Amino acid sequence: MNEPRQAFYTSVQEGPAGNAGFQFVAASPGFEPTSLPGIERLLGYRPPEGSSPSPDADEIARFPVSRVFERLESGEYVFILTRYLGRDYSGRFGNYFAHVVAIDRRMAPIGMRPIDVFELDWWRRSGEAESRLPKLEFPSGVTRADWRPASTEAQSRTLASAIGLMVDQKHTLYIEDHEPAVTNWLELCYAVMPEFGWWDLTFTTYAADAVRAPGRIKATDPAQSIELQAYELRSTASLVSSVRESSGPTNPFGRITGSLIAEADSDSLDSLTGRIRKCRLPLTGDVMDAIAIASDGDPDLHDLSEDDLLATLQVVLQTGDEMFTVRHVGWIFAKLSPARSVDVAGLFEESISLDSGLAREIGKAAFGWLLENHDPSSGILRTTIGSMPAEWAEVWLEALGRSAPEGYARLLDNGLALSLATRTDQRRDLGAEIASGVVSGRTSIDVLSEVGPLPGEVIEGIVDFALSAELAETATKESFSHATVKAEVRAQMSDAGDIDRLLGLWKLARAIEVEPDDRSMERMTSLASSPEDAEAVLGAVLSSESGSFEIRTCLVRMCADCGISPGQTLMDDFEAGLLESRPLSREDLRELYSGLGRAGVRTDVGKAIQLTGLMPGSATDMQTMVKNASCILRGSTADYWKQEVANHVGRMAASVEDPRGHLELVREVSAYGEPWLELAYSEEMRARLSRRKEAELAGALIFLTWNEPGRSPLNAESRDRRLMALSEKQRSGVEAYLSRNDGLKWDAWCKRNPPKGRFARRRAR
Amino acid sequence: MTLRCPFCFEAIPRGQAAFRCTGADPSRCPPVADEALGAFRRRPAEMLPPVTVVSRRLSLRTSTTVDCFQCGKPTTKAVCPRCHNTLPTHFMRTGGRSLAVIGAKESGKSHYVGVLINQLMHSVLGKYGASINAADEYTKSRYARDFRQILYESNQVLPATQSAAADGGLHLPMIFRLQVGTEKQKSALLVFFDTAGEDFERLETLEAEASYVANTDATMLVLDPLQIPSVRDQLGDQVVLPSVTTDPLDILSRTTDLIRERTGLPPNKRIDRPLALSFSKIDAIRGLLKGSPVLRSASHGVTFDAGAAEDISISMHAHVGEWIGSSLDQYVQANWSNVHYFGFSALGRPPVGGQLVGGVAPLRVEDPILWLLSQWKLIQES
């Protein structure tokens, strides 16, 4: 295809195929517009609203000429010039003449804009020449008269705003105006568009129904009054109209380019279009605004709002483009009012992935701005820092330490530096710095509460600092009475593996009113390995008001282990505690009384037995007493002490008649074969128990053996069978035991002693 | 009854409905490229508020609102699930009845539609206890601008209808709401398609109109007696004759073929939708219709007078045979099962130089539509 192809379209009585009506009446050889999808639908003309249905020639001459520029799916560009003709062959109105030209873009000389094509001398404007197609040739170069906008500045601004929006993808610009103002608008559009975008700026200069017309710029006669609302286009279309004069500037791109156009500042316009061309981002409204602002560079000139500035900042961050410099960043922050709430953290977050040096500069500038304009105790700084990502926290800390030590100190004292540091690896150091601030009184411990959850390293740092020698002297209760610190101290006390540190922690805990838990004290006594350690622990613990019976137990044990005397006070307290407490466990007794009987240890047997809490009154008491006594005896080496205990137990046992208590005694005797107990039992017991009771005891022994805990209780049948197997003497003993003990009636006994363990499971099955 | 979108004429699946967001805040509900509407308009997709399609049983009849899937705001703006054109209010509930008016160039189709609607609005339907009004803004403004203003205010003839192939590549229908009765009200949407004569003369341009011509509920073929050679001969110089002649059989056979092709109707079956064969401009051929009941002025009662309509149909049928011969009648009988003949004059007298001297004085324009309304059981028949 070497030259433009063309066709004429109008309504005739008899066209090339013999039909009447609208049709292509002439076409370049081989050019069949009807077979080119998309061309025919671009055709059409309706006179402007309100014009006479039967206009005369003068009126028709005043009707707007419609110029349509559109790109076809085939990639060709089509230009259509349509003029209203009035009557058709049948005398009815509605006829028009359209001259269609389709070209390959490469045919057009460089620098030619689509709108210039309509200025060529190609166009046939009436049906007169309809059978003869003109010869179409592009000129060798473009000679365009220097165009200067004839519109007002307000109009320029409005249009430029619209263009800013239009560059946004798929946005449509509607123009409501008369010719030649429409052409003027179009010229404006081309003036602010970079050359590479010219051939994307498709348009219709007149259509009665602009909304349905092709092109991204659609113009219509003001009489049509485009109601964007009605067509649901309000969010994606903008409207310019000299008839409905727009009152003022809208977006920065509009204002800045508008004034550039009005001032005919072609250098600035060139610079602007150059930047647009270089921009790698999608040309959204915000991006266009930012580019315009960056091109102009002086925010004071254009009365930019803070929203505009911040939007620009966003773009700067997104691009990291060389068109934006530190200078731009500087004046953006210079213009922001202190009261402005800026989501600085959010801004940075967006830019992190870019890894742009400029983004770091913005970080520093923004931080400087925040520090300068906001008191560290105010919420803005706190919120911003609170949401700062780690990468930026580092940037800020670095910037502060180097260039703004004063600001850093202020932040430090307000805990904000700590908040920042929580996201970096400078945590522990900062913890110490904060702690020193706390000790020196510069920083309030309450600040820590406001910082939010503190990372472990920081708290550890604070505790380390608190444990250091300097602090030991100066730490006050107020300085570190902070829930997080307390919790850390408490945790460390139960974990510490070093007796010295534990003692330090113990001291700190007391200072900040942390109640030492038993576990930590227990650890302390268990860690003490020398008499010196034990003394230190005793000193620390006994000087405190705390110290439960359990702790005293541990202390006594520690003293025994380390070979020092627990001292009168401790022992008195300890034994008093013992007397108050319930029977001790077997293990406790064994440990506590292993030393009894040794030289220097009190030998008050009555007291010792009392310490077991056993003044037996029932069989159960007696059983416990016997068990405890066995423990004491096993841990003791002194025979006289054993004798004392045995005698005491014997006396106590004699007062108990329930054979089950004696049974326990009998078991201990048989299990360990202690001669003293045998003696005590046989002599004392036998004296106390009648023959009948003796037989009963034997029967009880038999019965209870049958029904030992953990075994399935015998049923009546089994019991009888077993009774039958016993000797006469044994049987009468068992029966006597059963009949004497109402509470041990067989059925009731079974009920009280439900089967356990595998028996229960078996029964359940 | 299958519900068909009055724009794209695709059947709307039962139980499916679609709504366009009407949330006013584009930042909360950003517009999206509407490919479906773009395809219908044969244009690049425009950015529009999003469409939420719901599929649930009975949604058509019970649900008139849905929450936008994107922003959650409730919307009541129903659109076609296929082409995304905004449907008239209550369309999903009442459905529509559509009529395609076809015919040769200059046969009087647009005048028929323009005058008919005015007659229905202002004089005819009241007697049947019915009323009609525009169902959407487009219809309202287009009827006012392109018909009423020209015919009734400027007393001018209408301009030639532009080809559907041009003019944006599609014709939009005019949609009116018909309401019958007061207590137990029946309601239906009447969808009118006015076509350009030349679109029926070429196969490629017929394609532009094909979707609705093939799918409307009724077809009206307007026959211009002044384009029939034998009538022209008989009239001689008495009237101003149209500049062209077209064989009406050409148009009807193209339409018939199109309907058969699009609906898959086998050749041995006849098309059962109503076909109104209507002669226009009967004022100009009064001399040839002497004694015909079509020249009597209509008298409307509370019911449709089927007997009178039958008389007219027989009379006009006889004239067709006389003027055209039996070919048209044979073709019609072979392909259409429900045919009625009518005669009307939209303007009442021939225009002089494009001027309607004395205004519009229609004659029997309402007959075809009343017959169709009775066929659709919207008005009663006597």
Side-chain angles (χ1 to χ4, degrees), chain B residues 169-203:
Chain B
L170 75 159
H171 273 171
L172 292 179
M174 288 197 290
I175 306 173
F176 295 88
R177 183 180 311 286
L178 175 76
Q179 285 167 305
V180 187
T182 45
E183 282 181 12
K184 224 178 145 189
Q185 204 177 60
K186 275 191 257 182
S187 172
L189 293 166
L190 293 182
V191 183
F192 286 93
F193 282 99
D194 183 18
T195 58
E198 57 261 53
D199 288 349
F200 288 85
E201 293 174 10
R202 282 188 293 148
L203 213 55

Side-chain angles (χ1 to χ4, degrees), chain B residues 82-251:
Chain B
R82 295 289 179 86
C83 68
H84 290 188
N85 273 294
T86 304
L87 296 172
T89 319
H90 303 314
F91 174 81
M92 298 299 271
R93 214 172 286 175
T94 60
R97 293 289 187 174
S98 51
L99 170 67
V101 181
I102 62 173
K105 247 187 117 52
E106 294 182 64
S107 57
K109 300 175 292 297
S110 299
H111 284 98
Y112 171 74
V113 171
V115 173
L116 169 69
I117 287 163
N118 190 68
Q119 285 294 99
L120 291 178
M121 278 179 168
H122 297 112
S123 62
V124 176
L125 283 178
K127 291 170 183 150
Y128 296 88
S131 64
I132 188 171
N133 56 304
D136 58 19
E137 279 303 312
Y138 171 79
T139 302
K140 195 181 282 178
S141 61
R142 183 173 159 205
Y143 181 72
R145 183 191 64 212
D146 292 353
F147 295 94
R148 193 174 52 230
Q149 196 184 352
I150 299 173
L151 285 172
Y152 293 92
E153 291 168 22
S154 308
N155 289 326
Q156 302 273 346
V157 294
L158 298 173
T161 304
Q162 298 203 0
S163 164
D167 198 22
L170 75 159
H171 273 171
L172 292 179
M174 288 197 290
I175 306 173
F176 295 88
R177 183 180 311 286
L178 175 76
Q179 285 167 305
V180 187
T182 45
E183 282 181 12
K184 224 178 145 189
Q185 204 177 60
K186 275 191 257 182
S187 172
L189 293 166
L190 293 182
V191 183
F192 286 93
F193 282 99
D194 183 18
T195 58
E198 57 261 53
D199 288 349
F200 288 85
E201 293 174 10
R202 282 188 293 148
L203 213 55
E204 63 268 26
T205 47
L206 184 58
E207 278 299 307
E209 315 253 14
S211 65
Y212 56 83
V213 169
N215 287 303
T216 46
D217 298 301
T219 307
M220 174 160 167
L221 175 63
V222 177
L223 299 158
D224 182 359
L226 303 182
Q227 294 187 30
I228 299 171
S230 68
V231 175
R232 291 166 81 100
D233 291 346
Q234 290 182 51
L235 290 174
D237 296 337
Q238 292 170 34
V239 291
V240 181
L241 295 171
S243 49
V244 289
T245 59
T246 313
D247 186 351
L249 189 53
D250 278 356
I251 290 174

Side-chain angles (χ1 to χ4, degrees), chain A residues 13 19 21-22 40-41 43-46 49 53-54 89-90 92-93 96 170 212-213 218 232-233 235-236, chain B residues 20 26 31 33 42-43 47-48 77 86 105-106 145 154 156 159-160 162 165-168 170 198 202 243:
Chain A
Q13 182 161 3
N19 297 328
F22 281 104
E40 207 167 356
R41 68 175 173 80
L43 301 167
Y45 190 99
R46 280 198 282 116
E49 185 111 352
S54 52
Y89 60 91
S90 67
R92 292 188 296 175
F93 280 95
Y96 58 85
K170 296 203 172 178
R212 284 174 61 204
K218 308 174 184 194
E232 303 155 3
L233 295 171
S235 55
T236 54
Chain B
R20 190 182 296 286
R42 300 174 212 179
R43 293 256 310 281
M47 301 297 284
L48 291 172
K77 195 178 195 106
T86 304
K105 247 187 117 52
E106 294 182 64
R145 183 191 64 212
S154 308
Q156 302 273 346
Q162 298 203 0
D167 198 22
L170 75 159
E198 57 261 53
R202 282 188 293 148
S243 49

Side-chain angles (χ1 to χ4, degrees), chain A residues 395-413:
Chain A
V395 170
W396 280 27
L397 280 173
E398 183 196 327
L400 278 172
R402 215 176 43 226
S403 58
E406 274 179 30
Y408 179 66
R410 275 164 66 204
L411 281 190
L412 202 63
D413 292 346

Side-chain angles (χ1 to χ4, degrees), chain A residues 89-401:
Chain A
Y89 60 91
S90 67
R92 292 188 296 175
F93 280 95
N95 197 11
Y96 58 85
F97 175 82
H99 188 176
V100 181
V101 175
I103 68 159
D104 185 312
R105 188 180 163 181
R106 285 165 297 187
M107 295 175 185
I110 292 165
M112 178 170 269
R113 306 167 308 171
I115 194 158
D116 298 331
V117 173
F118 286 104
E119 300 304 317
L120 299 173
D121 60 354
W122 295 353
W123 301 97
R124 295 293 173 266
R125 303 195 173 206
S126 73
E128 290 157 19
E130 62 200 24
S131 59
R132 285 201 56 199
L133 294 166
K135 186 162 177 62
L136 305 183
E137 272 176 351
F138 277 106
S140 55
V142 182
T143 49
R144 201 163 54 230
D146 236 11
W147 175 82
R148 283 282 172 266
S151 55
T152 64
E153 184 180 333
Q155 285 170 358
S156 305
R157 287 180 172 193
T158 314
L159 179 67
S161 309
I163 295 164
L165 293 167
M166 188 181 62
V167 175
D168 205 346
Q169 285 173 350
K170 296 203 172 178
H171 203 92
T172 311
L173 172 66
Y174 289 90
I175 299 171
E176 247 183 37
D177 220 329
H178 297 285
E179 281 289 4
V182 171
T183 306
N184 208 28
W185 289 121
L186 271 173
E187 289 279 2
L188 271 165
C189 292
Y190 282 109
V192 294
M193 276 298 276
E195 190 175 336
F196 73 92
W198 286 353
W199 287 69
D200 293 330
L201 215 55
T202 56
F203 58 80
T204 296
T205 62
Y206 167 78
D209 183 358
V211 173
R212 284 174 61 204
R216 296 191 62 199
I217 303 175
K218 308 174 184 194
T220 190
D221 192 87
Q224 306 300 135
S225 186
I226 301 168
E227 292 302 333
L228 295 182
Q229 193 73 17
Y231 285 93
E232 303 155 3
L233 295 171
R234 59 195 177 280
S235 55
T236 54
S238 45
L239 175 71
V240 295
S241 166
S242 61
V243 184
R244 295 190 233 169
E245 181 69 59
S246 169
S247 59
T250 49
N251 57 357
F253 181 85
R255 291 198 298 274
I256 294 171
T257 51
S259 65
L260 293 181
I261 293 167
E263 291 159 12
D265 183 352
S266 56
D267 287 348
S268 297
L269 275 173
D270 283 351
S271 141
L272 176 70
T273 51
R275 282 172 195 268
I276 292 174
R277 201 172 303 133
K278 274 192 278 177
C279 182
R280 293 188 296 265
L281 289 179
L283 292 174
T284 61
D286 276 351
V287 172
M288 295 288 279
D289 287 348
I291 292 172
I293 291 171
S295 299
D296 205 46
D298 186 353
D300 289 328
L301 268 183
H302 300 291
D303 191 25
L304 297 171
S305 75
E306 295 192 340
D307 284 336
D308 296 335
L309 291 169
L310 288 176
T312 304
L313 193 60
Q314 289 263 14
V315 174
V316 173
L317 276 164
Q318 284 164 15
T319 55
D321 210 305
E322 68 242 24
M323 77 172 81
F324 301 110
T325 63
V326 180
R327 181 176 64 96
H328 294 119
V329 176
W331 57 248
I332 287 173
F333 281 104
K335 285 286 287 179
L336 284 179
S337 77
R340 177 75 196 189
S341 114
V342 184
D343 180 15
V344 179
L347 283 176
F348 299 151
E349 196 147 23
E350 285 175 24
S351 67
I352 280 165
S353 58
L354 289 170
D355 191 29
S356 139
L358 191 60
R360 292 178 81 85
E361 290 303 322
I362 290 172
K364 291 176 196 170
F367 195 34
W369 174 81
L370 278 172
L371 265 180
E372 199 169 305
N373 291 295
H374 296 90
D375 186 66
S377 59
S378 75
I380 292 176
L381 210 53
R382 199 171 296 284
T383 314
T384 307
I385 288 175
S387 53
M388 179 87 9
E391 291 86 339
W392 284 105
E394 267 171 25
V395 170
W396 280 27
L397 280 173
E398 183 196 327
L400 278 172

